[in-house]
Amino acid sequence: MNAVVSAEGLARHYEVGGGLFSKPGVVKALSEATFQIEAGKTLAVVGESGCGKSTLARLVTLIEEPTAGSLNIDGIEATPDNWDRLRSHVQIVFQDPYGSLNLRHRIGAILEEPLKINRPDMPAKERQAKAREMLELVGLRPEHFDRFPHMFSGGQRQRIAVARALMLEPKLLVLDEPVSALDLSIQSQVLNLLLDLQERLDLAYLFISHDLSVVRHVADDVAVMYLGRPVEFGTKEQVFSNPRHPYTKALLSATPSTEPNPDKMRIKLEGELPSPLAVPDGCPFAPRCWKAKTKCREQRPELMGEHPAACWYPEG
Amino acid sequence: MSLLTIKNLSVDFDTAGGMFRAVDGVDINVDQGDILAIVGESGSGKSVSMLAMMGLLPWTATITADEMSFDGIDLRDLGPMARRKVIGRDMSMIFQEPMSSLNPCFTVGFQIKESLKIHLDLDRAERKKRAIELMELVGIPDPERRLKAFPHQLSGGMSQRVMIAMALACKPRLLIADEPTTALDVTIQAQILDLLADLQKETGMALILITHDMGVVAETAQRVQVQYAGQKVEEQEVRGLFSDPHHPYTAALLAALPERATERHLPTIPGVVPGQYDRPQGCLFSPRCKFADDKCRKTPPPVQPPDLGLARCHYPITRQEDVA
């Protein structure tokens, strides 16, 4: 087993509100996330807003400490004592390339910064050489080294963000909606770059997205999340051609397809995501599910089996 | 006679760096009961052309058109007072960000009733009744209580429903939806798109859907108009556009969709949309087009006949060529 990352029952709860006399509420942003990613593979996490995708990203990139569960990166347990050591193994690319680059720094400085912090002994010359090399790797020209972020288009900025993430030669790259802020014609350029880099550097990706057509293109494995819990897990083929959880099925049918076809049946989901402060007792999806029965409302189903789906009455 | 006719619309913005042409010679035709989608990437002028028609652009914009008429009314030299009588009543618009287009200081009930008060001759009780009716129409549960809710108490999907209710308040004949679902989750997006399609069928109004999402277009629209860098480059029925695009830009855009990919590598469109300072001389798409030759780079292309999708191209793609 050469998993770059393995997580076991990862959870993150936040306390909110509460005053002098009232008890604070607990938001269970993420519970029971268990997964592994091998080198050169992509795990895609899909779900709607509020399902805990970004919390998962923050835990894996060691920005926050999990409330429960364990996380192993490259065989080392990720406890806060080890964070310093592990940070260069995991890097992240954010959604908005307009917000994630410092406008007052030149591209060169942006790329060198991770090395300055994490490899303080490296001579300046070597640092610069590495940054220039990286610039070429992500398909930018050498003269871009001395420019400022505002001189670049969205797609180029996302390339810079990817380059910065790769400066420390990480083994795992967390991609938090890397293409959803980009136009369609630019989106395909960035996706191609990510696929190339993965092949060349044998990177593991944790790809977070709400766009199922992008996920279908890049992922090896897919985890579907709903209200802070994974509800289905499987290979790309399993999840897309034979979805077992009703939520996955609804999500797939809600995604507009680009083949005009008026006869297509769409599963209509009633209502919206319940508040994460008051997650239903039974299956969290039961209030919106069209086949929920009494058992669903009372007992929470677990993820089990070969192609696990947390549902009492799975499809297929 | 068509409901909305726009011929040769151009919008120029007076910027610090000189005039910038955001919309360049666009024609739009919408009949009663039509669903027209306008697709394009950011900066293609799709929203600006609609805002120009509504008179919502700032003073830095210069609008010129050969014809711009709605239901027989000439919109070009309509004064602000006369325009107020038309927009919001016969012609209304919903915007992309439901959270930021509602006023946070007033209840949603007040905001729905506001347009009823301005445009229709109803008394207080009738207005309240109509507001409840509208909220039921757009599928908001428990409307009577929700009238008293403030925008921050509603979710994104609910706010967008309120926006739709406001737009529909005076039974408009034309509804313009500017990226109505971009800020929403997919399952909520599906609900809102279905709602718009149902309402359109029920009321028979015309709907203009502005979007960048090809999937939304394929599922909702009847007719599609593709814009690039301020120009209309192609117009076709939705099926035809997806199966048989005539303009190279449309074809490249469709090929770049991940779900149409046949290989691990996606086909891409090199380069970026031209900006204010690097506008090409001939065809605006020529620097990124794989079919472009010297003629494309020098002379602006003609508009092809309707059976070639009104493509603005010297060498439109036909199906025979694809086979060869």
Side-chain angles (χ1 to χ4, degrees), chain A residues 176-235:
Chain A
D176 191 355
E177 308 252 12
V179 293
S180 56
L182 305 176
D183 269 323
L184 188 58
S185 67
I186 307 299
Q187 177 180 312
S188 53
Q189 293 173 7
V190 174
L191 285 178
N192 282 348
L193 171 72
L194 289 172
L195 291 174
D196 278 346
L197 289 172
Q198 181 170 45
E199 224 160 78
R200 208 181 300 177
L201 306 173
D202 204 25
L203 290 167
Y205 285 163
L206 178 68
F207 192 97
I208 293 172
S209 179
H210 66 271
D211 188 337
L212 288 171
S213 49
V214 171
V215 167
R216 178 179 267 179
H217 186 71
V218 300
D220 295 301
D221 293 315
V222 180
V224 183
M225 295 197 35
Y226 187 79
L227 262 184
R229 284 172 197 280
V231 293
E232 181 162 352
F233 192 86
T235 62

Side-chain angles (χ1 to χ4, degrees), chain A residues 2-244:
Chain A
N2 56 342
V4 176
V5 195
S6 64
E8 189 72 42
L10 219 51
R12 172 75 212 184
H13 302 167
Y14 297 98
E15 282 193 355
V16 287
L20 194 51
F21 300 109
S22 59
K23 261 192 161 176
V26 175
V27 174
K28 294 184 175 169
L30 183 75
S31 317
E32 291 169 33
T34 301
F35 59 89
Q36 283 167 346
I37 313 173
E38 285 170 34
K41 296 285 180 197
T42 304
L43 170 72
V45 179
V46 287
E48 296 177 277
S49 45
C51 74
K53 306 184 293 252
S54 294
T55 306
L56 180 65
R58 292 171 74 87
L59 293 184
V60 174
T61 26
L62 313 174
I63 297 173
E64 280 181 55
E65 202 181 337
T67 316
S70 70
L71 180 68
N72 269 289
I73 294 168
D74 209 18
I76 306 168
E77 180 137 8
T79 51
D81 308 334
N82 293 334
W83 275 10
D84 282 352
R85 238 177 342 140
L86 288 172
R87 280 238 163 81
S88 51
H89 291 314
V90 191
Q91 291 290 312
I92 186 167
V93 176
F94 293 100
Q95 170 172 5
D96 182 11
Y98 292 87
S100 60
L101 300 178
N102 191 334
L103 294 174
R104 291 167 195 274
H105 285 183
R106 292 175 195 276
I107 303 310
I110 291 174
L111 294 184
E112 285 178 34
E113 197 172 13
L115 291 178
K116 263 188 202 160
I117 295 165
N118 288 285
R119 312 257 193 283
D121 304 332
M122 188 183 274
K125 258 206 179 126
E126 194 182 331
R127 215 162 52 210
Q128 213 193 72
K130 276 196 124 176
R132 286 186 188 276
E133 207 176 291
M134 188 56 67
L135 211 56
E136 197 191 320
L137 189 70
V138 298
L140 292 169
R141 285 199 297 272
E143 67 262 28
H144 291 155
F145 192 82
D146 290 317
R147 296 200 183 157
F148 286 99
H150 74 262
M151 300 157 116
F152 293 91
S153 66
Q156 285 175 317
R157 284 186 204 208
Q158 202 60 302
R159 282 173 197 265
I160 296 165
V162 171
R164 176 178 60 181
L166 291 177
M167 282 309 288
L168 292 171
E169 291 158 24
K171 299 198 165 98
L172 170 74
L173 205 54
V174 177
L175 303 159
D176 191 355
E177 308 252 12
V179 293
S180 56
L182 305 176
D183 269 323
L184 188 58
S185 67
I186 307 299
Q187 177 180 312
S188 53
Q189 293 173 7
V190 174
L191 285 178
N192 282 348
L193 171 72
L194 289 172
L195 291 174
D196 278 346
L197 289 172
Q198 181 170 45
E199 224 160 78
R200 208 181 300 177
L201 306 173
D202 204 25
L203 290 167
Y205 285 163
L206 178 68
F207 192 97
I208 293 172
S209 179
H210 66 271
D211 188 337
L212 288 171
S213 49
V214 171
V215 167
R216 178 179 267 179
H217 186 71
V218 300
D220 295 301
D221 293 315
V222 180
V224 183
M225 295 197 35
Y226 187 79
L227 262 184
R229 284 172 197 280
V231 293
E232 181 162 352
F233 192 86
T235 62
K236 173 174 68 172
E237 289 75 25
Q238 283 174 333
V239 172
F240 280 95
S241 54
N242 181 26
R244 292 187 72 211

Side-chain angles (χ1 to χ4, degrees), chain A residues 268-306:
Chain A
K268 268 196 192 175
L269 277 189
E270 299 291 323
E272 299 180 20
L273 232 70
S275 155
L277 272 169
V279 178
D281 275 342
C283 169
F285 186 57
R288 294 173 81 191
C289 186
W290 63 97
K291 46 196 248 179
K293 299 200 172 82
T294 328
K295 188 178 182 189
C296 302
R297 290 186 197 95
E298 281 161 4
Q299 286 177 308
R300 197 161 50 74
E302 301 280 335
L303 277 172
M304 290 222 271
E306 172 81 352

Side-chain angles (χ1 to χ4, degrees), chain B residues 56-79:
Chain B
L56 294 176
L57 287 177
W59 58 273
T60 48
T62 318
I63 303 164
T64 52
D66 290 348
E67 189 185 347
M68 183 149 68
S69 65
F70 173 75
D71 198 21
I73 308 165
D74 193 345
L75 293 173
R76 279 175 303 174
D77 39 36
L78 210 59

Side-chain angles (χ1 to χ4, degrees), chain B residues 125-136:
Chain B
E126 282 170 337
R127 282 204 295 270
K128 185 171 179 195
K129 206 173 123 231
R130 173 80 181 133
I132 293 174
E133 230 175 75
L134 282 164
M135 289 181 83
E136 261 166 15

